Structures are given as structure tokens and as C-alpha cells.
Amino acid sequence: MALFNRRNNDAPSTTATLAVDPALAALTGTYTIDPAHSSIGFTVRHAMVTNVRGSFGEHEGTLTLDGTDPSASTASIDVTISSVDTGIADRDGHLVSGDFFDAEAFPLMTFRSTKAEQLGGDAYRITGDLTIKGVTRPLAIDLEFNGSATDPYGNQRVGFEGSAEILRSDWGLTYNAALETGGVLVGDKVKLNFDISAIKAAPQA
């Protein structure tokens, strides 16, 4: 289902005109991310030999979907840095310290979309501005639209899952320690993972 503007490979300098899909048009509206059924996580190499996985337990955001003009759809996410959880309290405490995120000075990580496009089928790419530790840089997130459904409580939901890779040093996260055997303690490349369930807001009277 084409939620976002379809890429026109035959005429890249123009925008394709598509018939409006009634099912797509019905999804138009503002959706609030449901943190109880969503996750924002990361994976990073540790000591050159294994991976550490973590997530942020506190986050909020809004999706605005426009089924009749999909290019107008937007996404906005705020993540509370102090909610980081890698399963080890001492490591989490180090991550929120000045060595890494400096959560006291920079309590939020934010994403604001600037562009969306369909790559084919239910695959999409959202491009936007990611801000970490006061540094804002562009980020492209590859997403899969998992569909829509009405839950047992009457809420209309949409679901997406996706991923992106960043170099943490690009956002000023440069702390590291050298290993005696060569290499460093923490990898620079970080994989971000998103599993989003969002609830459609009731129309305003």
C-alpha cells in the first residue's frame, strides 16, 4: 500500500500522478505512537568480538499520514536518553554520562522527517533530521509498512518496522578505549531498530 510518494523511475524529474486508493485514503489522519507496543533499539559492536543491544524505554511521537497527498505525510519522534537500557545498570549509567550522551545537558534524541518515498511494495524510506547531543545530521530510515488494523478496544492502528545505520562519531559520541590486543572497546557503527505501532487520533469536532 503506497503510504508515501512513489518514486517515478521513468521520469525522475516529475511526480507521478496516482489514483487515490480508498483504503489508503481511509488511513489519513494523525497517529500517536503507542510506547507500550513500540520499541526503539540499537546494536553496537563491543570489544571487536560481540554485540551489545539496548533500547530506550521512554519515547513519544506523532505520525501524520495523508492518503490523498502522501508526500505530505510526516513523522516526529522524541526519545528520552535517560531511559536507555542495555540490561546492565553500570553500563547504562556510563551511557547517560558525559562520556557518551550527557543526558543531563541533552535529555532528548529527536527525529523530524523531511521526505518520504516508496521503494517498492511495502518498502519505504523516511529521510529526516536526527539530533543527538545537540548535533543535527540527516538520517535515512528504511521502513516496512506492516498494515493497519482495529484493535479490540476500537483503536485504529498502523504498524511500521525499520532500521538505519549511523556512525556515532558523527553525532559527537566519540568516547572509546584501546584494547591490548588491538582495536577499540566500542564500535563506531551503530544499527538503529524501530518497531512502531501508532494509534489514530479521534477527529476533532
Side-chain angles (χ1 to χ4, degrees):
M1 184 179 294
L3 282 181
F4 308 113
N5 53 304
R6 185 188 301 273
R7 182 183 290 170
N8 183 0
N9 294 323
D10 295 331
S13 63
T14 62
T15 301
T17 300
L18 302 176
V20 175
D21 182 341
L24 175 61
L27 297 180
T28 296
T30 299
Y31 294 76
T32 301
I33 292 176
D34 176 9
H37 296 94
S38 302
S39 64
I40 296 176
F42 61 89
T43 304
V44 63
R45 185 73 73 180
H46 178 261
M48 309 294 292
V49 298
T50 189
N51 291 316
V52 168
R53 293 174 174 82
S55 62
F56 296 93
E58 297 179 19
H59 53 268
E60 60 183 20
T62 301
L63 309 177
T64 301
L65 305 182
D66 189 330
T68 59
D69 181 12
S71 64
S73 298
T74 61
S76 174
I77 301 174
D78 293 342
V79 177
T80 301
I81 293 297
S82 62
S83 70
V84 67
D85 182 6
T86 64
I88 298 178
D90 287 346
R91 181 166 57 203
D92 297 341
H94 194 196
L95 287 174
V96 301
S97 74
D99 282 346
F100 285 96
F101 286 109
D102 194 0
E104 184 174 351
F106 305 99
L108 294 178
M109 172 173 62
T110 66
F111 177 78
R112 302 290 184 266
S113 68
T114 57
K115 180 182 178 182
E117 59 185 326
Q118 184 184 19
L119 303 180
D122 287 329
Y124 302 89
R125 178 169 293 145
I126 296 288
T127 302
D129 294 325
L130 176 67
T131 300
I132 305 174
K133 207 173 181 178
V135 178
T136 300
R137 296 179 63 90
L139 175 70
I141 304 172
D142 288 335
L143 293 167
E144 181 176 353
F145 176 50
N146 288 337
S148 63
T150 300
D151 68 22
Y153 304 100
N155 299 310
Q156 184 176 358
R157 293 178 178 266
V158 293
F160 296 89
E161 60 182 311
S163 63
E165 286 189 351
I166 66 171
L167 298 179
R168 61 187 180 90
S169 58
D170 287 344
W171 277 266
L173 301 172
T174 56
Y175 172 87
N176 229 320
L179 301 176
E180 292 184 4
T181 52
V184 291
L185 181 65
V186 185
D188 193 21
K189 183 185 295 184
V190 181
K191 184 176 181 180
L192 304 176
N193 302 292
F194 305 87
D195 199 344
I196 302 297
S197 178
I199 298 172
K200 190 174 185 179
Q204 294 185 351

